[in-house]
Amino acid sequence: GSLRVAGYTIGIDVGTTGTKTVLFDAERGIVAQASRESALHSPHPGWAEADPAQWLENVTGSIRELLAETSVAAADIVAVSTSGMVPAVIPVDQEGRPLRRAILQNDARANDEIGVLAERLSSLDLVALTGSALTQQSVAPTLACLARHEPDVLARTAAVVGSYDWILMALGAPAHVEQNWALE
């Protein structure tokens, strides 16, 4: 017979405009779901930022809602899985606290840095090496832009993580970066 894993999985998707959380059972599929909107911040033309604290508030609030709605006990949650926009660049300190709002994948502030890096790396085939071209969605130009415009933030940065990595860290996982995100 088939092995039955007792318990539920929480699935979390951190999106540009909102966070969706699902309660999943391996046999029955999605048992319940909840969504919360997220504010998009654009303090300058072409900038796109989000507040990780709002993501965490969305996640914890929606998990509480799902458990209350279904009468599932927290102890019955056996796994938490996250996905989200790629990349959302979040510099964090030694304790994993964000040092600024996340810079989202559709942020266009690093155009100058893209040009400089493209010139410096022109002898390399970045797509063959990493699977990705150098674009506004690349992490390196965003970090170079932070180094130029927010050196104090970069100086205090212990790690740079993505949206779903940070959510897992805020829920208790150790600092980590998903491999595909790190190649961006």
Side-chain angles (χ1 to χ4, degrees), residues 109-149:
R109 78 183 72 195
N111 284 332
D112 292 344
E113 289 77 10
I114 292 169
V116 169
L117 284 169
E119 187 175 313
R120 287 184 186 164
L121 302 173
S122 63
S123 65
L124 299 176
D125 183 348
L126 289 178
V127 174
L129 286 171
T130 68
S132 295
L134 185 64
T135 70
Q136 77 179 24
Q137 292 191 7
S138 302
V139 174
T142 301
L143 294 178
C145 187
L146 281 177
R148 188 168 74 158
H149 297 287

Side-chain angles (χ1 to χ4, degrees), residues 56-160:
L56 184 58
E57 184 179 307
N58 287 348
V59 166
T60 56
S62 61
I63 289 172
R64 282 188 197 100
E65 177 184 327
L66 294 177
L67 296 181
E69 176 184 311
T70 61
S71 299
V72 169
D76 291 331
I77 305 301
V78 295
V80 176
S81 177
T82 58
S83 66
M85 62 193 108
V86 176
V89 176
I90 310 167
V92 297
D93 66 14
Q94 290 286 355
E95 286 76 41
R97 293 181 300 235
L99 295 169
R100 65 171 332 282
R101 287 193 294 234
I103 300 173
L104 304 184
Q105 75 282 359
N106 54 337
D107 187 285
R109 78 183 72 195
N111 284 332
D112 292 344
E113 289 77 10
I114 292 169
V116 169
L117 284 169
E119 187 175 313
R120 287 184 186 164
L121 302 173
S122 63
S123 65
L124 299 176
D125 183 348
L126 289 178
V127 174
L129 286 171
T130 68
S132 295
L134 185 64
T135 70
Q136 77 179 24
Q137 292 191 7
S138 302
V139 174
T142 301
L143 294 178
C145 187
L146 281 177
R148 188 168 74 158
H149 297 287
E150 299 180 38
D152 58 317
V153 169
L154 214 52
R156 294 181 292 135
T157 299
V160 178

Side-chain angles (χ1 to χ4, degrees), residues 23-49:
L23 182 64
F24 182 82
D25 176 87
E27 288 185 354
R28 297 184 293 155
I30 294 174
V31 176
Q33 58 188 341
S35 297
R36 300 278 195 286
E37 290 185 10
S38 297
L40 178 64
H41 300 271
S42 187
H44 301 284
W47 288 26
E49 299 179 347

